[in-house]
Amino acid sequence: MKTVLLSLLCFCSMGCLKKKESTPANGSITVDGLIRTYTLHLPPNYREGSDFSLVIAMHGGGGNGGQFESSSRLSQKADAAKFIVVYPNGVKGDGLLKAQTWNAGGCCDYARDHNINDVKFISLLIDHLVAKYKINPKKVYATGHSNGGMMAYRLACELSDKIAAIAPNSSTMVVTQPCNASRAVPILHMHSVQDNNVPYAGGVGTGVSKHYNPPLDSVFQVWSLKNACATPAQVIVNNNSYKLTKWTDCSNNTTIQYYLTKDGGHAWPGGTPGGLPLGDKPSAVINANDLLWDFFQQYQLP
């Protein structure tokens, strides 16, 4: 009887531990005197597995890690595909809403105005998580929505030694210093022609943060030169649903892929409306989580 009870207790404790590891865990690190927080999601097979990829998923301006986890549904994809995802939080503003933003250069709000060093935060966060969890440091990727996508572009410029590839959504590149990536960075960009918050053709959007958004054509021109892409932009698909443009024959076999959907708006494709009940409707013709994971798996740091 004791043996049976002991076995049951052992089974229960292992099961509880496994369940605990596959649920979000809140954590924090201190950067430049600020306590920076994040939510980490481990896949159910974490105990048995090893050599995990890490996806850094950055929320849009005014959002937070928990909200982005819910609206993007990226943790469900992480569980199915067996990778680790972390949702870091931007710094809180001093306004009434305490909106959390990223300093991506020319955007956004409190983080930009107070020159918060978010590149340092993400760099130290990577070091912290790689030391604590079974993460392959060559398989670290960044994605983000809106202001979070802008931050992904800044990471590609300034942290290309730690970020293997990026997948921004509904964003543009707003760096204010020359982009000095030390290597070619694979880029998957997703956008909607109906996105009025960050217009794909450039200009000031309808969002709360009234800043100029460089047109995406100029962003891809910069990166196609940096990545030394021998083949110019080629339209692979152009139908009633979306347009897919690719830059290939780039340095170190990298590519740039640009999905421009005809449906949706300023929202995460395949997610919930803009992360808010009254937000833009997400694109239904592509799924951001499927696309980014298929893309990320093709690349790792040398």
Side-chain angles (χ1 to χ4, degrees), residues 11 46 50 59 70 74 92 120 124 127 129 139 147 153 159 168 178-179 183 185 195 204 225 236 251 275 278 280 283:
F11 176 79
Y46 179 76
S50 61
H59 62 79
S70 176
L74 187 55
K92 289 184 179 180
K120 183 178 180 180
L124 293 176
D127 294 343
L129 296 178
K139 298 179 180 180
N147 182 207
Y153 273 117
L159 212 60
C179 182
R183 46 174 279 276
V185 180
D195 188 339
V204 178
L225 291 173
I236 308 301
S251 178
L278 299 178
D280 284 1
S283 172

mmCIF file of all heavy atoms in Angstrom, residues 11 46 50 59 70 74 92 120 124 127 129 139 147 153 159 168 178-179 183 185 195 204 225 236 251 275 278 280 283:
data_model
loop_
_atom_site.group_PDB
_atom_site.id
_atom_site.type_symbol
_atom_site.label_atom_id
_atom_site.label_comp_id
_atom_site.label_asym_id
_atom_site.label_seq_id
_atom_site.Cartn_x
_atom_site.Cartn_y
_atom_site.Cartn_z
ATOM 1 N N PHE A 11 3.994 10.421 -9.099
ATOM 2 C CA PHE A 11 3.352 10.713 -10.373
ATOM 3 C C PHE A 11 2.701 12.090 -10.340
ATOM 4 O O PHE A 11 2.831 12.897 -11.253
ATOM 5 C CB PHE A 11 2.306 9.640 -10.689
ATOM 6 C CG PHE A 11 1.526 9.922 -11.959
ATOM 7 C CD1 PHE A 11 2.078 9.647 -13.194
ATOM 8 C CD2 PHE A 11 0.260 10.476 -11.900
ATOM 9 C CE1 PHE A 11 1.365 9.903 -14.352
ATOM 10 C CE2 PHE A 11 -0.452 10.737 -13.043
ATOM 11 C CZ PHE A 11 0.094 10.453 -14.282
ATOM 12 N N TYR A 46 9.144 20.680 -21.977
ATOM 13 C CA TYR A 46 10.400 21.297 -21.562
ATOM 14 C C TYR A 46 11.274 20.364 -20.729
ATOM 15 O O TYR A 46 12.492 20.308 -20.916
ATOM 16 C CB TYR A 46 10.129 22.586 -20.785
ATOM 17 C CG TYR A 46 11.406 23.236 -20.311
ATOM 18 C CD1 TYR A 46 12.216 23.944 -21.197
ATOM 19 C CD2 TYR A 46 11.836 23.105 -18.983
ATOM 20 C CE1 TYR A 46 13.402 24.519 -20.784
ATOM 21 C CE2 TYR A 46 13.024 23.679 -18.561
ATOM 22 C CZ TYR A 46 13.809 24.382 -19.461
ATOM 23 O OH TYR A 46 15.001 24.932 -19.049
ATOM 24 N N SER A 50 15.527 19.575 -25.035
ATOM 25 C CA SER A 50 16.748 20.372 -24.922
ATOM 26 C C SER A 50 16.903 21.178 -26.211
ATOM 27 O O SER A 50 16.124 21.013 -27.156
ATOM 28 C CB SER A 50 17.981 19.469 -24.717
ATOM 29 O OG SER A 50 18.139 18.597 -25.819
ATOM 30 N N HIS A 59 5.096 43.418 -27.369
ATOM 31 C CA HIS A 59 3.768 43.998 -27.524
ATOM 32 C C HIS A 59 3.816 45.355 -28.208
ATOM 33 O O HIS A 59 4.873 45.997 -28.319
ATOM 34 C CB HIS A 59 3.102 44.146 -26.153
ATOM 35 C CG HIS A 59 3.838 45.066 -25.221
ATOM 36 N ND1 HIS A 59 3.756 46.440 -25.293
ATOM 37 C CD2 HIS A 59 4.691 44.807 -24.190
ATOM 38 C CE1 HIS A 59 4.507 46.990 -24.357
ATOM 39 N NE2 HIS A 59 5.090 46.029 -23.672
ATOM 40 N N SER A 70 -2.108 36.874 -25.037
ATOM 41 C CA SER A 70 -3.503 36.511 -25.261
ATOM 42 C C SER A 70 -3.960 36.841 -26.681
ATOM 43 O O SER A 70 -4.576 36.013 -27.355
ATOM 44 C CB SER A 70 -4.390 37.239 -24.248
ATOM 45 O OG SER A 70 -5.753 36.989 -24.490
ATOM 46 N N LEU A 74 0.333 33.236 -29.473
ATOM 47 C CA LEU A 74 1.634 32.662 -29.810
ATOM 48 C C LEU A 74 2.025 31.519 -28.886
ATOM 49 O O LEU A 74 2.743 30.603 -29.293
ATOM 50 C CB LEU A 74 2.700 33.768 -29.774
ATOM 51 C CG LEU A 74 4.102 33.402 -30.268
ATOM 52 C CD1 LEU A 74 4.073 32.831 -31.686
ATOM 53 C CD2 LEU A 74 5.016 34.618 -30.212
ATOM 54 N N LYS A 92 6.759 51.585 -18.331
ATOM 55 C CA LYS A 92 5.506 52.315 -18.118
ATOM 56 C C LYS A 92 5.736 53.818 -18.187
ATOM 57 O O LYS A 92 6.722 54.339 -17.669
ATOM 58 C CB LYS A 92 4.908 51.959 -16.754
ATOM 59 C CG LYS A 92 4.342 50.551 -16.677
ATOM 60 C CD LYS A 92 3.682 50.303 -15.323
ATOM 61 C CE LYS A 92 3.087 48.892 -15.251
ATOM 62 N NZ LYS A 92 2.444 48.645 -13.933
ATOM 63 N N LYS A 120 19.562 47.283 -24.459
ATOM 64 C CA LYS A 120 20.291 46.695 -23.330
ATOM 65 C C LYS A 120 19.398 45.740 -22.549
ATOM 66 O O LYS A 120 19.840 44.652 -22.146
ATOM 67 C CB LYS A 120 20.818 47.796 -22.415
ATOM 68 C CG LYS A 120 21.654 47.300 -21.242
ATOM 69 C CD LYS A 120 22.181 48.473 -20.429
ATOM 70 C CE LYS A 120 23.030 48.011 -19.251
ATOM 71 N NZ LYS A 120 23.547 49.163 -18.452
ATOM 72 N N LEU A 124 20.318 41.812 -22.082
ATOM 73 C CA LEU A 124 20.487 41.198 -20.765
ATOM 74 C C LEU A 124 19.427 40.131 -20.503
ATOM 75 O O LEU A 124 19.699 39.125 -19.834
ATOM 76 C CB LEU A 124 20.438 42.268 -19.681
ATOM 77 C CG LEU A 124 21.604 43.261 -19.665
ATOM 78 C CD1 LEU A 124 21.388 44.326 -18.600
ATOM 79 C CD2 LEU A 124 22.933 42.545 -19.439
ATOM 80 N N ASP A 127 20.629 36.967 -22.150
ATOM 81 C CA ASP A 127 21.680 36.356 -21.321
ATOM 82 C C ASP A 127 21.073 35.644 -20.112
ATOM 83 O O ASP A 127 21.479 34.519 -19.771
ATOM 84 C CB ASP A 127 22.666 37.423 -20.835
ATOM 85 C CG ASP A 127 23.452 38.051 -21.959
ATOM 86 O OD1 ASP A 127 23.494 37.466 -23.064
ATOM 87 O OD2 ASP A 127 24.025 39.140 -21.747
ATOM 88 N N LEU A 129 17.984 34.445 -19.679
ATOM 89 C CA LEU A 129 17.179 33.272 -20.014
ATOM 90 C C LEU A 129 18.036 32.127 -20.544
ATOM 91 O O LEU A 129 17.777 30.960 -20.227
ATOM 92 C CB LEU A 129 16.106 33.649 -21.039
ATOM 93 C CG LEU A 129 15.054 34.654 -20.550
ATOM 94 C CD1 LEU A 129 14.080 34.983 -21.672
ATOM 95 C CD2 LEU A 129 14.309 34.126 -19.329
ATOM 96 N N LYS A 139 19.701 30.176 -31.539
ATOM 97 C CA LYS A 139 18.324 30.123 -32.027
ATOM 98 C C LYS A 139 17.431 31.075 -31.228
ATOM 99 O O LYS A 139 16.449 30.680 -30.613
ATOM 100 C CB LYS A 139 17.788 28.692 -31.941
ATOM 101 C CG LYS A 139 18.554 27.680 -32.797
ATOM 102 C CD LYS A 139 17.976 26.282 -32.633
ATOM 103 C CE LYS A 139 18.723 25.264 -33.472
ATOM 104 N NZ LYS A 139 18.160 23.889 -33.303
ATOM 105 N N ASN A 147 4.661 49.061 -32.278
ATOM 106 C CA ASN A 147 5.853 49.557 -31.612
ATOM 107 C C ASN A 147 6.813 48.414 -31.273
ATOM 108 O O ASN A 147 8.038 48.577 -31.309
ATOM 109 C CB ASN A 147 5.436 50.323 -30.353
ATOM 110 C CG ASN A 147 6.577 50.939 -29.572
ATOM 111 O OD1 ASN A 147 6.480 51.140 -28.358
ATOM 112 N ND2 ASN A 147 7.672 51.269 -30.229
ATOM 113 N N TYR A 153 13.100 45.726 -35.343
ATOM 114 C CA TYR A 153 14.013 46.286 -36.343
ATOM 115 C C TYR A 153 15.241 46.912 -35.675
ATOM 116 O O TYR A 153 16.369 46.769 -36.165
ATOM 117 C CB TYR A 153 13.295 47.343 -37.190
ATOM 118 C CG TYR A 153 12.568 46.776 -38.387
ATOM 119 C CD1 TYR A 153 11.190 46.875 -38.505
ATOM 120 C CD2 TYR A 153 13.275 46.153 -39.424
ATOM 121 C CE1 TYR A 153 10.515 46.364 -39.609
ATOM 122 C CE2 TYR A 153 12.622 45.641 -40.521
ATOM 123 C CZ TYR A 153 11.236 45.745 -40.614
ATOM 124 O OH TYR A 153 10.590 45.227 -41.707
ATOM 125 N N LEU A 159 21.671 44.437 -32.365
ATOM 126 C CA LEU A 159 21.882 43.206 -31.599
ATOM 127 C C LEU A 159 21.901 41.986 -32.526
ATOM 128 O O LEU A 159 21.449 40.907 -32.154
ATOM 129 C CB LEU A 159 20.770 43.068 -30.552
ATOM 130 C CG LEU A 159 21.125 42.385 -29.217
ATOM 131 C CD1 LEU A 159 22.233 43.134 -28.493
ATOM 132 C CD2 LEU A 159 19.896 42.297 -28.330
ATOM 133 N N PRO A 168 8.678 41.325 -37.846
ATOM 134 C CA PRO A 168 7.820 42.429 -37.391
ATOM 135 C C PRO A 168 6.438 42.362 -38.052
ATOM 136 O O PRO A 168 6.285 41.862 -39.175
ATOM 137 C CB PRO A 168 8.580 43.678 -37.847
ATOM 138 C CG PRO A 168 9.920 43.197 -38.335
ATOM 139 C CD PRO A 168 9.728 41.779 -38.751
ATOM 140 N N PRO A 178 22.492 55.388 -37.590
ATOM 141 C CA PRO A 178 22.769 54.475 -38.693
ATOM 142 C C PRO A 178 22.629 53.015 -38.256
ATOM 143 O O PRO A 178 23.061 52.645 -37.161
ATOM 144 C CB PRO A 178 24.218 54.805 -39.063
ATOM 145 C CG PRO A 178 24.403 56.229 -38.632
ATOM 146 C CD PRO A 178 23.581 56.370 -37.389
ATOM 147 N N CYS A 179 22.015 52.215 -39.096
ATOM 148 C CA CYS A 179 21.823 50.794 -38.798
ATOM 149 C C CYS A 179 23.120 50.050 -39.091
ATOM 150 O O CYS A 179 23.528 49.951 -40.253
ATOM 151 C CB CYS A 179 20.673 50.233 -39.640
ATOM 152 S SG CYS A 179 20.314 48.489 -39.319
ATOM 153 N N ARG A 183 25.903 41.569 -39.319
ATOM 154 C CA ARG A 183 25.707 40.453 -40.245
ATOM 155 C C ARG A 183 24.370 40.632 -40.957
ATOM 156 O O ARG A 183 23.555 41.476 -40.564
ATOM 157 C CB ARG A 183 25.679 39.109 -39.488
ATOM 158 C CG ARG A 183 24.808 39.122 -38.248
ATOM 159 C CD ARG A 183 24.691 37.759 -37.601
ATOM 160 N NE ARG A 183 23.711 36.930 -38.272
ATOM 161 C CZ ARG A 183 22.392 36.972 -38.023
ATOM 162 N NH1 ARG A 183 21.895 37.828 -37.136
ATOM 163 N NH2 ARG A 183 21.580 36.182 -38.663
ATOM 164 N N VAL A 185 20.678 39.959 -41.704
ATOM 165 C CA VAL A 185 19.598 39.535 -40.818
ATOM 166 C C VAL A 185 18.371 39.144 -41.644
ATOM 167 O O VAL A 185 17.836 39.974 -42.382
ATOM 168 C CB VAL A 185 19.214 40.653 -39.832
ATOM 169 C CG1 VAL A 185 18.089 40.179 -38.910
ATOM 170 C CG2 VAL A 185 20.422 41.085 -39.005
ATOM 171 N N ASP A 195 -4.061 49.086 -42.838
ATOM 172 C CA ASP A 195 -3.491 49.550 -41.578
ATOM 173 C C ASP A 195 -3.306 51.063 -41.648
ATOM 174 O O ASP A 195 -2.418 51.555 -42.353
ATOM 175 C CB ASP A 195 -2.150 48.858 -41.325
ATOM 176 C CG ASP A 195 -1.581 49.149 -39.945
ATOM 177 O OD1 ASP A 195 -1.980 50.153 -39.332
ATOM 178 O OD2 ASP A 195 -0.737 48.363 -39.481
ATOM 179 N N VAL A 204 2.196 59.903 -41.237
ATOM 180 C CA VAL A 204 1.743 59.911 -39.852
ATOM 181 C C VAL A 204 0.449 59.117 -39.747
ATOM 182 O O VAL A 204 -0.498 59.349 -40.502
ATOM 183 C CB VAL A 204 1.515 61.354 -39.351
ATOM 184 C CG1 VAL A 204 0.984 61.352 -37.919
ATOM 185 C CG2 VAL A 204 2.814 62.154 -39.429
ATOM 186 N N LEU A 225 20.130 46.148 -49.268
ATOM 187 C CA LEU A 225 21.519 46.563 -49.472
ATOM 188 C C LEU A 225 22.406 46.030 -48.360
ATOM 189 O O LEU A 225 23.519 45.532 -48.619
ATOM 190 C CB LEU A 225 21.611 48.090 -49.531
ATOM 191 C CG LEU A 225 20.981 48.760 -50.766
ATOM 192 C CD1 LEU A 225 20.990 50.276 -50.617
ATOM 193 C CD2 LEU A 225 21.724 48.339 -52.030
ATOM 194 N N ILE A 236 6.139 37.094 -55.636
ATOM 195 C CA ILE A 236 5.925 35.650 -55.719
ATOM 196 C C ILE A 236 4.435 35.325 -55.827
ATOM 197 O O ILE A 236 4.025 34.444 -56.582
ATOM 198 C CB ILE A 236 6.520 34.938 -54.485
ATOM 199 C CG1 ILE A 236 7.982 35.348 -54.286
ATOM 200 C CG2 ILE A 236 6.388 33.432 -54.613
ATOM 201 C CD1 ILE A 236 8.878 35.034 -55.469
ATOM 202 N N SER A 251 23.333 37.685 -48.620
ATOM 203 C CA SER A 251 24.490 37.189 -47.886
ATOM 204 C C SER A 251 24.082 36.111 -46.873
ATOM 205 O O SER A 251 23.034 36.217 -46.229
ATOM 206 C CB SER A 251 25.165 38.356 -47.161
ATOM 207 O OG SER A 251 26.270 37.917 -46.408
ATOM 208 N N GLY A 275 -5.880 43.174 -30.263
ATOM 209 C CA GLY A 275 -5.635 42.964 -28.850
ATOM 210 C C GLY A 275 -6.720 43.572 -27.984
ATOM 211 O O GLY A 275 -6.698 43.456 -26.767
ATOM 212 N N LEU A 278 -12.505 46.419 -29.427
ATOM 213 C CA LEU A 278 -12.876 47.336 -30.490
ATOM 214 C C LEU A 278 -11.710 47.618 -31.440
ATOM 215 O O LEU A 278 -11.753 48.572 -32.218
ATOM 216 C CB LEU A 278 -13.385 48.653 -29.880
ATOM 217 C CG LEU A 278 -14.618 48.542 -28.982
ATOM 218 C CD1 LEU A 278 -14.990 49.910 -28.411
ATOM 219 C CD2 LEU A 278 -15.805 47.953 -29.759
ATOM 220 N N ASP A 280 -8.789 46.786 -34.541
ATOM 221 C CA ASP A 280 -8.898 46.386 -35.933
ATOM 222 C C ASP A 280 -9.071 44.878 -36.061
ATOM 223 O O ASP A 280 -8.556 44.103 -35.247
ATOM 224 C CB ASP A 280 -7.642 46.805 -36.705
ATOM 225 C CG ASP A 280 -7.616 48.292 -37.001
ATOM 226 O OD1 ASP A 280 -8.572 48.989 -36.584
ATOM 227 O OD2 ASP A 280 -6.659 48.747 -37.641
ATOM 228 N N SER A 283 -6.062 40.020 -40.056
ATOM 229 C CA SER A 283 -6.111 39.331 -41.345
ATOM 230 C C SER A 283 -6.459 37.861 -41.134
ATOM 231 O O SER A 283 -5.996 37.230 -40.181
ATOM 232 C CB SER A 283 -4.755 39.428 -42.048
ATOM 233 O OG SER A 283 -4.738 38.606 -43.206
#
